[in-house]
Amino acid sequence: METTTEALSADVLVIGFGKGGKTAAHALAEAGRRVVLVERSAHMYGGTCPNVGCVPSKMLVHYSNAKRLEDEAREYFAKSVAGVRALTSAFRAGNLEAMNGHETATVITGEASFVDEHTVTVGAGEDRITVTAPTILINTGSEPVIPAIPGLAESSHLVSSTDLIENDRLPASLVIVGGGYLGLEFASIYRHFGAEVTVLEAADRLLPREDEDIALAATEILAGDGIRILTGVRVTGVSDNEDTATVSYEKDGRTLTVDGHALLPATGRRPVTDHLNLQAAGVRTTARGAIEVDEHLRTSRPHIYALGDVNGGEQFTYVSFDDARVVLDQLLGEGKLQRTVTDRVAVPHTLFITPPLATVGLKETQARAEGRKIKVSREKVADIVAMPRAYTVEETRGVWKFIVDADTDLVLGAALLTIDAQEIINTVALAMRHGITATQLRDSIYTHPSSTEGLNEVFDKVLPE
Ligand SMILES: Cc1cc2nc3c(=O)[nH]c(=O)nc-3n(C[C@H](O)[C@H](O)[C@H](O)COP(=O)(O)OP(=O)(O)OC[C@H]3O[C@@H](n4cnc5c(N)ncnc54)[C@H](O)[C@@H]3O)c2cc1C
Ligand SMILES: NC(=O)c1ccc[n+]([C@@H]2O[C@H](COP(=O)([O-])OP(=O)(O)OC[C@H]3O[C@@H](n4cnc5c(N)ncnc54)[C@H](O)[C@@H]3O)[C@@H](O)[C@H]2O)c1
C-alpha cells in the first residue's frame, strides 16, 4: 500500500503543549518565527495543569469546601465534576484557539518521535507527518509512577488522579498510597466531599521535609477532618474483592489491611520520554529518566532544549513557566542578560489542603543545622489579632511561622498553614528576593480585612529560645 508523508519545516518545533512549551511557542510566534507545536492528545491542549492537574484539582478543592451538610454527597460530587469539565473544556479550547491565532504557528495533534536530531515524525502510516527544525523544545511533562506493589497494577480499583478528576461517581472510600502533594490534596478534597479516606505514607511522619511543628499542625487538621493517616507503613500487596480492594501493609512489625472502593497511588511522577526515541537525536537522559540539561536548559544536543517536568527539575507549573523564560533568553534575547535556572531565589510552594500550607526558603531545622543565628516567630492563626479575616470566613485553623536572620533581619524562610497562604507567601517570597527585612514587612500598610495584614503582628511573636 502506498503511503504519503507530509513534510513540514519550521524555525522552532515544540513537542508537548505544556506550560513551558506553549509560553515559549507564543513568544516565538509573536516574534515572527515559524513554530510547529505537536501535542499527542486532543484532550490535552494547554497541558496537564489546565486539563487534569492544578486547575481541576483546585476547583474540586473549592467545590468540596463549599459543600453544605444538606447536599447529598454523590449528587453534589457529580455536579462538581460537571462544573470542572465545563471549565477545563473552555480552557482547552482557549489554549488551542490562542495558539492557532498566530499566523506563523501550526498545531499538530499526534505523538512525536525523533528520527534524527532535527526531525520528528508524528503519527503513523498514511497520516504520518515529518517536521524538521533547527531548534527543538521538548516539553512532554510527567506521568504517575505506579509503585511495584504486588496486585496494585492489576487491581480493577486502581485509579489515577486524572480518573478521579474526570469520573463523576464519588467513591464511598478511597485509599491513597503516598502522602505527598498529590496524596494529601486528594485526601482533603475527597474527605470534604464525603468519602472515607485513608492515607498510607512510607515516611515516619507526613511532610518530612517540613519542620516537625508545622507537619504536626497540618496532620492534626487533616486527621481532625476525619482522614485516617497511617505513617511509617510498608504497603505489601493489593487483592481485589467484588466492590473494593484490600490493601495489606506492615506497620510496627504487624501486618494489617484496609479496604477501599478506589485506590490511588500518589508516590511521585516521572518524566515522559518513552515514545520520543531520544537516542535517534542523541539526547541523553539521567539515571532517573529525566532529560539531562545545563543551566540554560540545553540538552546534550545544544539546539534541543527541555522544559518543565521532563527535565527533572521541580514539578510545578510556575517552574515550567520560568523554564520558558530561560529558553526564550537563549532564542530571542540577543545581547540581553540571559537567565539561568540557577538564578532562582525563594521559590515558594503551596500544598492545597484546607487551609493550605505554603512554604518558602529555609526551615528552622535547616537554619539551625547551618549554624545560623536566627529568630523564630510563630503564632496560631486563631490568635493573630491583626487578621480578623480568618474569623470573617470561619477558617481560624493553622499557624504562621517565620525564620528571620537575627543579625540582618532578613527573612530566611516561612511556613504558613492558613487561609490565603498561597497569596501571602508570594509577598513574603518577593520580600526575600529583594532584601526587604522582617521589620519592613511588619511595618508596611496592608488592606483590611486581609490575611496579609497578619504580617503586621507575627514578626513580634518570637518563640522563646
Ligand atoms: C493532579 C495534579 C495537581 C497539580 N497541582 C499543581 C498545582 O496546584 N500547582 C502547580 O504548580 N503544579 C501542580 N501540579 C504539577 C503541574 O501540573 C506540572 O508540574 C506541570 O503541569 C508540568 O507542566 P509541563 O510544562 O512540564 O508539561 P505538561 O503540562 O505536563 O504538558 C506536557 C504535554 O506533552 C504531551 N506529550 C507527551 N509526550 C508527547 C509526545 N511524544 N508527543 C507530543 N506530545 C506529547 C502531553 O500530552 C502533555 O499535554 C499538579 C499535577 C497534578 C497531576
Ligand atoms: N499544589 C501543588 O503544587 C501540587 C499538587 C499536586 C502535585 N504537584 C506536583 O506533582 C508531584 C507529584 O506528586 P506526588 O504527591 O505524587 O509526589 P510527592 O513526591 O510529592 O510525594 C510522594 C509521597 O509518596 C511517599 N511514598 C513513596 N513511595 C511510597 C510507597 N511505596 N508507599 C507509601 N508511600 C510512598 C513519599 O514518601 C512521599 O511522601 C509533586 O512533587 C509536585 O511537584 C504539585
Side-chain angles (χ1 to χ4, degrees):
M1 194 174 71
E2 197 184 322
T3 59
T4 51
T5 305
E6 195 184 336
L8 289 179
S9 68
D11 297 322
V12 183
L13 163 65
V14 181
I15 306 173
F17 205 145
K19 184 69 174 180
K22 70 183 173 192
T23 305
H26 280 297
L28 290 161
E30 202 62 31
R33 306 282 170 97
R34 289 173 309 136
V35 177
V36 169
L37 192 160
V38 184
E39 167 52 51
R40 68 177 170 186
S41 163
H43 188 71
M44 292 292 281
Y45 301 134
T48 301
C49 187
N51 290 298
V52 296
C54 341
V55 170
S57 61
K58 268 77 255 185
M59 198 177 196
L60 287 176
V61 171
H62 161 72
Y63 279 131
S64 67
N65 286 333
K67 181 173 173 291
R68 298 162 308 174
L69 275 179
E70 60 268 33
D71 291 318
E72 200 279 317
R74 278 172 302 181
E75 196 183 311
Y76 183 82
F77 181 72
K79 266 197 216 158
S80 303
V81 172
V84 168
R85 278 187 198 147
L87 185 73
T88 54
S89 58
F91 279 9
R92 188 156 51 245
N95 268 291
L96 183 62
E97 211 177 290
M99 194 56 67
N100 282 334
H102 294 287
E103 259 180 40
T104 57
T106 307
V107 177
I108 300 177
T109 307
E111 192 163 63
S113 179
F114 280 95
V115 180
D116 61 42
E117 62 174 309
H118 288 292
T119 313
V120 301
T121 55
V122 184
E126 287 185 56
D127 295 328
R128 201 156 68 102
I129 299 177
T130 67
V131 187
T132 305
T135 302
I136 300 178
L137 315 188
I138 304 175
N139 179 227
T140 48
S142 63
E143 61 194 359
V145 171
I146 310 290
I149 296 167
L152 176 62
E154 304 77 42
S155 172
S156 57
H157 302 282
L158 176 75
V159 290
S160 65
S161 56
T162 302
D163 297 329
L164 282 175
I165 284 167
E166 293 184 342
N167 190 338
D168 63 7
R169 283 184 59 191
L170 178 68
S173 59
L174 173 64
V175 175
I176 302 175
V177 181
Y181 270 87
L182 215 142
L184 292 184
E185 288 187 0
F186 277 76
S188 178
I189 293 167
Y190 283 80
R191 181 64 202 137
H192 285 120
F193 274 124
E196 291 296 322
V197 178
T198 305
V199 175
L200 299 170
E201 165 59 46
D204 287 340
R205 62 171 166 88
L206 288 188
L207 305 167
R209 281 189 227 123
E210 302 307 325
D211 284 335
E212 205 163 346
D213 55 342
I214 297 299
L216 187 66
T219 306
E220 276 173 9
I221 287 175
L222 293 165
D225 280 344
I227 298 167
R228 195 167 163 227
I229 296 165
L230 301 164
T231 55
V233 303
R234 194 170 78 85
V235 180
T236 52
V238 174
S239 59
D240 275 8
N241 315 306
E242 202 165 318
D243 293 331
T244 59
T246 299
V247 182
S248 307
Y249 60 94
E250 286 171 5
K251 182 169 166 60
D252 302 329
R254 292 195 302 153
T255 299
L256 302 158
T257 61
V258 56
D259 283 6
H261 289 81
L263 182 51
L264 172 70
T267 56
R269 292 172 63 86
R270 68 159 167 254
V272 173
T273 57
D274 281 359
H275 301 282
L276 282 172
N277 194 23
L278 291 172
Q279 311 85 287
V283 171
R284 280 198 301 268
T285 53
T286 66
R288 300 173 69 90
I291 295 182
E292 193 184 293
V293 285
D294 67 9
E295 71 274 23
H296 295 290
L297 300 176
R298 286 182 299 228
T299 69
S300 47
R301 286 280 180 262
H303 67 285
I304 303 179
Y305 296 80
L307 305 78
D309 289 4
V310 75
N311 68 24
E314 285 197 303
Q315 297 175 340
F316 296 97
T317 295
Y318 44 95
V319 172
S320 183
F321 175 68
D322 198 53
D323 281 0
R325 292 187 182 127
V326 170
V327 171
L328 285 169
D329 276 1
Q330 292 292 302
L331 301 182
L332 296 176
E334 256 166 59
K336 279 198 299 188
L337 182 72
Q338 298 192 328
R339 271 170 276 217
T340 71
V341 292
T342 50
D343 295 337
R344 288 175 188 151
V345 182
V347 179
H349 300 118
T350 301
L351 170 68
F352 287 88
I353 53 176
T354 302
L357 169 62
T359 53
V360 65
L362 290 184
K363 320 291 169 205
E364 179 184 354
T365 38
Q366 278 175 314
R368 293 204 189 283
E370 288 177 14
R372 289 170 185 259
K373 204 171 142 209
I374 56 172
K375 287 189 293 186
V376 179
S377 306
R378 206 177 94 109
E379 194 170 12
K380 285 187 177 167
V381 171
D383 297 338
I384 307 176
V385 178
M387 186 192 166
R389 173 161 160 79
Y391 284 90
T392 63
V393 296
E394 297 178 301
E395 180 54 275
T396 55
R397 297 177 296 174
V399 60
W400 289 34
K401 180 173 182 180
F402 286 95
I403 319 301
V404 178
D405 187 300
D407 294 324
T408 62
D409 196 31
L410 290 171
V411 178
L412 299 175
L416 307 175
L417 176 64
T418 174
I419 177 89
D420 299 331
Q422 77 280 13
E423 307 294 344
I424 311 163
I425 204 74
N426 291 326
T427 303
V428 176
L430 194 68
M432 288 171 68
R433 258 172 246 139
H434 297 285
I436 293 168
T437 62
T439 305
Q440 286 170 322
L441 273 176
R442 185 199 63 187
D443 294 347
S444 188
I445 183 161
Y446 303 109
T447 54
H448 175 82
S450 67
S451 290
T452 322
E453 64 184 337
L455 294 170
N456 288 149
E457 181 175 320
V458 176
F459 288 110
D460 287 335
K461 303 290 169 177
V462 178
L463 287 180
E465 277 300 308

